[in-house]
Amino acid sequence: LTRTLSRSIPPLPLSAGHTDRAAHRRADEAWIQARLCDSRSRVAVVRGQQTLHRRDGEAVRAAWLGPEQLSEAVRREAVFLGERDGVALFAASVEADVVLPDDGAEWGELRRHLLLMEPEEAALLAFARGMAYWHARHRFCGSCGAPAECRQAGHLRACTGCGALHFPRTDPAVIVRVEHRGRCLLGRQATWDPGVYSVLAGFVEPGETLEQAVAREVLEEAGVVVSRVRYHSSQPWPFPGSLMVGFTARARSARLRRDEELEDVRWFSRREARDALQDGTLRMPSRYSISHRLMEEWLDG
Amino acid sequence: LTRTLSRSIPPLPLSAGHTDRAAHRRADEAWIQARLCDSRSRVAVVRGQQTLHRRDGEAVRAAWLGPEQLSEAVRREAVFLGERDGVALFAASVEADVVLPDDGAEWGELRRHLLLMEPEEAALLAFARGMAYWHARHRFCGSCGAPAECRQAGHLRACTGCGALHFPRTDPAVIVRVEHRGRCLLGRQATWDPGVYSVLAGFVEPGETLEQAVAREVLEEAGVVVSRVRYHSSQPWPFPGSLMVGFTARARSARLRRDEELEDVRWFSRREARDALQDGTLRMPSRYSISHRLMEEWLDG
């Protein structure tokens, strides 16, 4: 089953990256430094939650800069993303000190442009954004509070006090389509846009399997006991730092007990969902998300 | 396929926990405080990489303490693990200030006792150990360096300086059995016990899917391109803080190019592996690991 699914699903926008990360280069400081002095190298720039884009007709592209357009301090914390066609790719975080090129580059939210971008570039910017967020949250050592230094071309931070090593963080989360006799369990959070419902999701906690996390989240959020928990697919979700792991499951009963975490949770038949989508009272999550994919497959099924 | 596998595999020792984590209690400070003053509550104690055990004939059990046996400072950072039969369970980290009960409790490495313990207790101690490690590594805020405070019954740390919230960390890692015409790809690291080989594994990086992480790791460590990457199962691995996600895959070719990360990597036929296991020149990873499970299934297949 998994195999059939994996084959038939076109990759999600953020799952399409095939750039060689060339991890063996990270420890080669001389090589990295040379690439950071090479004007052919390309740098994706991140500022808080924004990345630098350029409009190209209907499409949106990453606005790559040359390393020489960045200050020495910014280059020192650059993250090596990989190599493409012999060109080294980096990510850099800036405050306000980057000079925007005079050719229409602009700051934007990657999430809003995802579907207008080439999947490969979207995946690279997502990688850049995820790494930038991790660096921003790990300037200091959690063990002793001393400053932590950037090492390994941005893939490690080492404490200048106690020497502790800190590696990039990725938070695994499960997302699950629960069905019961053809109906699908959807919930919404109060902060979402009106009408938006999604399959249930939550972070994996220490000491549990992915399948246990699925069962716990569905029980917590909807009071529903699940069985037949099956893996579906995975998607990086660097908003700011998650890895979404998708599952399908069956509910043992349709009885619901809503948690305060959700504003509403309910069963939708396909007909109800299609009608509500039609008249606009139900809206799907963003098209580039794994939740959209899980719902779409059910609607089509 | 996934379903058949999930059904036929008995749970791994660390995947068997079914204690109710009762997450809704975490924010109920009055309830938590009352449980920490209730001598019926049970506390699992962690000291560095060690947990407190008690021998019981051939078996090993967790040596649970009452909250009154711990100092006020230790109780303040206690982690609520959940409820079992109406009894609240906690984890606490101690330096040297805990008085060992006079009944044969002793410090030990959980990994060495895993197979001698009841799966439920092993899973609880693994949860306790994982949370203790996370707290030890997050005493200070990574964003600003100020001390971070324990909140939500130990499931959150909040910065006393900038207010940033820090949640427990779990590092997803992939582990994969790669086969090529009946042979299995096994590698060993120089630091492992002599003769031990395992299926390949590595951490998931920001911005990649689980399947991409599998492909990248196998390419990096063995120079092998894989296809048909299929999910197998998952296992928490809090030594110190991972979640292992198991896969199977097929190699496109048998040609190998070893990375410096491994001391050796090679293809084993079933007969070679069985013979080498028999004469002791090949040894399996620990019996409670997902790598052992992946190898065992192949050997039996």
Side-chain angles (χ1 to χ4, degrees):
Chain A
L1 179 69
T2 309
R3 180 170 143 204
T4 321
L5 284 175
S6 315
R7 277 193 183 159
S8 62
I9 303 175
L12 288 155
L14 288 176
S15 303
H18 292 292
T19 297
D20 179 7
R21 295 188 170 210
H24 62 285
R25 300 291 199 188
R26 295 173 188 166
D28 186 346
E29 216 169 308
W31 188 89
I32 293 290
Q33 285 316 313
R35 296 289 81 68
L36 281 171
C37 295
D38 181 344
S39 62
R40 289 180 311 146
S41 297
R42 301 286 88 190
V43 187
V45 195
V46 184
R47 187 180 74 175
Q49 303 194 358
Q50 300 187 306
T51 39
L52 200 55
H53 303 119
R54 184 171 296 134
R55 293 193 180 269
D56 180 8
E58 290 293 290
V60 172
R61 310 179 63 105
W64 297 92
L65 301 189
E68 71 285 357
Q69 292 177 270
L70 301 165
S71 70
E72 173 59 31
V74 166
R75 271 207 301 270
R76 205 176 302 125
E77 300 232 326
V79 175
F80 177 58
L81 298 179
E83 283 183 281
R84 195 171 55 178
D85 305 327
V87 173
L89 305 176
F90 292 90
S93 278
V94 300
E95 302 286 338
D97 63 344
V98 70
V99 180
L100 283 186
D102 260 347
D103 54 1
E106 52 188 53
W107 294 107
E109 235 297 352
L110 177 60
R111 284 168 86 148
R112 296 183 50 201
H113 300 316
L114 273 181
L115 292 175
L116 303 172
M117 299 187 74
E118 279 177 26
E120 188 65 43
E121 270 203 344
L124 279 166
L125 288 193
F127 184 16
R129 198 181 181 290
M131 292 298 288
Y133 179 78
W134 172 69
H135 278 286
R137 298 265 297 184
H138 293 79
R139 304 225 162 276
F140 296 87
C141 174
S143 298
C144 78
E149 276 182 349
C150 195
R151 298 258 181 90
Q152 297 265 347
H155 291 267
L156 173 70
R157 293 189 78 94
C159 178
T160 55
C162 70
L165 303 180
H166 301 279
F167 293 89
R169 172 172 175 153
T170 298
D171 293 319
V174 291
I175 182 158
V176 57
R177 182 178 73 219
V178 179
E179 291 182 57
H180 186 265
R181 296 186 186 162
R183 293 192 299 166
C184 181
L185 186 61
L186 300 176
R188 65 169 269 109
Q189 290 177 22
T191 55
W192 292 354
D193 285 346
V196 175
Y197 279 74
S198 170
V199 296
L200 305 190
F203 286 106
V204 178
E205 297 191 349
E208 66 185 0
T209 64
L210 290 165
E211 290 79 1
Q212 286 169 346
V214 165
R216 180 183 50 72
E217 281 294 338
V218 179
L219 189 62
E220 279 174 20
E221 294 185 359
V224 166
V225 175
V226 293
S227 58
R228 300 204 200 179
V229 179
R230 298 182 207 169
Y231 179 78
H232 180 277
S233 58
S234 64
Q235 181 189 40
W237 194 248
F239 307 111
S242 304
L243 167 72
M244 305 304 296
V245 190
F247 285 86
T248 60
R250 262 202 216 173
R252 294 226 176 120
S253 121
R255 212 154 121 200
L256 295 179
R257 192 203 62 232
R258 184 175 58 80
D259 177 60
E260 60 204 15
E261 214 180 298
L262 295 178
E263 185 186 67
D264 188 24
V265 61
R266 61 167 101 152
W267 295 103
F268 286 81
S269 70
R270 279 192 186 82
R271 163 159 296 187
E272 280 170 332
R274 284 182 193 138
D275 289 353
L277 284 166
Q278 199 90 48
D279 69 23
T281 53
L282 172 64
R283 292 167 61 201
M284 304 266 280
S286 327
R287 279 178 60 86
Y288 48 82
S289 65
I290 193 169
S291 48
H292 189 283
R293 177 65 54 89
L294 286 162
M295 283 175 71
E296 197 176 40
E297 279 181 9
W298 168 74
L299 283 166
D300 291 348
Chain B
L1 178 69
T2 310
R3 177 171 145 204
T4 322
L5 282 175
S6 316
R7 277 194 183 160
S8 63
I9 301 175
L12 286 156
L14 287 176
S15 302
H18 293 291
T19 297
D20 179 7
R21 294 187 171 211
H24 62 284
R25 301 291 199 186
R26 295 174 188 166
D28 186 346
E29 216 169 309
W31 189 88
I32 294 288
Q33 284 317 311
R35 295 291 78 69
L36 281 171
C37 295
D38 181 345
S39 61
R40 288 179 314 148
S41 297
R42 301 286 85 192
V43 187
V45 194
V46 184
R47 188 180 71 177
Q49 303 195 358
Q50 300 186 306
T51 40
L52 200 55
H53 302 120
R54 185 172 295 135
R55 294 192 179 270
D56 181 9
E58 290 292 290
V60 171
R61 309 178 65 103
W64 297 92
L65 302 188
E68 72 285 357
Q69 292 177 269
L70 301 166
S71 70
E72 174 60 31
V74 167
R75 271 208 300 269
R76 205 176 303 126
E77 300 233 325
V79 175
F80 177 59
L81 298 179
E83 283 184 280
R84 193 171 55 176
D85 305 327
V87 172
L89 305 178
F90 292 90
S93 279
V94 302
E95 302 286 336
D97 64 342
V98 69
V99 181
L100 284 185
D102 260 347
D103 55 0
E106 52 189 54
W107 294 108
E109 235 297 352
L110 177 60
R111 284 168 86 147
R112 296 182 50 200
H113 300 317
L114 272 180
L115 291 174
L116 303 172
M117 299 187 74
E118 280 177 27
E120 188 66 44
E121 269 203 345
L124 280 166
L125 287 194
F127 183 16
R129 199 180 179 289
M131 292 298 288
Y133 179 78
W134 171 69
H135 278 286
R137 299 265 298 184
H138 293 79
R139 305 224 162 276
F140 297 87
C141 174
S143 297
C144 78
E149 277 182 347
C150 194
R151 297 258 181 91
Q152 296 265 346
H155 291 268
L156 173 70
R157 293 189 77 94
C159 178
T160 55
C162 69
L165 302 180
H166 301 279
F167 292 90
R169 170 171 176 154
T170 298
D171 293 318
V174 291
I175 182 158
V176 56
R177 183 179 72 219
V178 180
E179 291 180 58
H180 185 265
R181 296 186 186 162
R183 291 193 299 167
C184 181
L185 186 61
L186 301 176
R188 63 168 273 110
Q189 290 179 20
T191 55
W192 291 354
D193 284 346
V196 174
Y197 278 74
S198 170
V199 296
L200 305 189
F203 286 106
V204 178
E205 297 190 348
E208 65 184 0
T209 64
L210 289 166
E211 290 78 2
Q212 285 169 346
V214 164
R216 181 182 51 72
E217 281 292 340
V218 179
L219 189 62
E220 280 174 19
E221 295 186 359
V224 166
V225 174
V226 293
S227 59
R228 301 207 198 175
V229 179
R230 297 183 207 168
Y231 178 77
H232 181 278
S233 58
S234 64
Q235 180 189 39
W237 193 247
F239 307 111
S242 305
L243 168 71
M244 305 304 297
V245 189
F247 285 85
T248 59
R250 264 204 216 171
R252 294 225 176 121
S253 121
R255 212 153 122 199
L256 297 178
R257 191 204 64 232
R258 184 175 59 80
D259 177 61
E260 58 204 16
E261 214 180 298
L262 295 178
E263 186 186 67
D264 188 24
V265 62
R266 61 166 100 152
W267 295 103
F268 285 82
S269 70
R270 280 193 185 82
R271 165 160 295 188
E272 279 170 333
R274 284 182 193 139
D275 288 351
L277 284 166
Q278 198 91 47
D279 69 23
T281 52
L282 173 63
R283 291 167 62 198
M284 304 264 281
S286 326
R287 280 179 60 86
Y288 48 82
S289 65
I290 193 169
S291 48
H292 189 282
R293 177 64 55 90
L294 286 161
M295 282 174 71
E296 196 176 40
E297 280 181 9
W298 168 74
L299 283 166
D300 291 348

